[in-house]
Amino acid sequence: MDYMDADVAYLSGLIVARGTLTEAPAVRQVVIDFPYSTLKLQGNDAESDQETEILLGLHTIRKRLVDLLEADVETISGSTSATLTIRFLRNSMAWRNILLLLDNKLSYAHFQVPSVFFDPQIPKDWKIQFVRGYADVAGNIRHANRYVDGRHRVRLDVLNSPANWQLPVQLCTLLQEQIGVPVQLIN
């Protein structure tokens, strides 16, 4: 718990959702992909510019991560997504802690919810920050996802490998048992 706080929890959620880690002799980096969406707001004549909205959100995320990591954090806009790249020029404690949290796995295809988030001693807010980070990358709210009574639900996409079935179950357990948020279904 010494290396965990709300910011580290948030970063962990971002990485688990859609992050990739690479390590070369001179540079280590975390790359997180934020895909653009073609969703349109229903009942609103003005269209939402998803690319601009994501890039504005990434500016806030970037500031939060620069303060946390003291690393080079860059955002790049592409045709279908924006990418957040965090570069470590040394084998820093921040880099080592990220590897420790992710059990030395290197891709979202293999990541699981770090076990520290199931510890009853970890504050609930940190668990919420993990889910918030995950949702900022792989969550959406659409009219089609609304509940029968009209309330909107948040959909969390799980893009891990078909062989890694544990992540959806872990997210469900974290939401229901640790945070107290009901999960209606896992598809």
Side-chain angles (χ1 to χ4, degrees), residues 5-15 34 61 64-65 117 126 129-130 132-134 136:
D5 65 11
D7 291 327
V8 174
Y10 179 78
L11 172 62
S12 300
L14 293 173
I15 295 170
F34 291 76
I61 293 169
R64 184 175 185 178
L65 297 180
F117 293 109
W126 296 359
Q129 286 298 315
F130 173 83
R132 181 170 286 147
Y134 192 98
D136 279 353

Side-chain angles (χ1 to χ4, degrees), residues 7 22 37 46 49 140 147 150 181:
D7 291 327
T22 58
S37 175
D49 181 355
N140 63 66
Y147 191 63
V181 174

Side-chain angles (χ1 to χ4, degrees), residues 32-36 51 54-55 58 75-78 80-84:
I32 304 166
D33 190 47
F34 291 76
Y36 300 142
E51 179 178 353
I54 288 173
L55 291 174
L58 279 176
T75 58
I76 301 168
S77 179
T80 60
S81 66
T83 303
L84 181 77

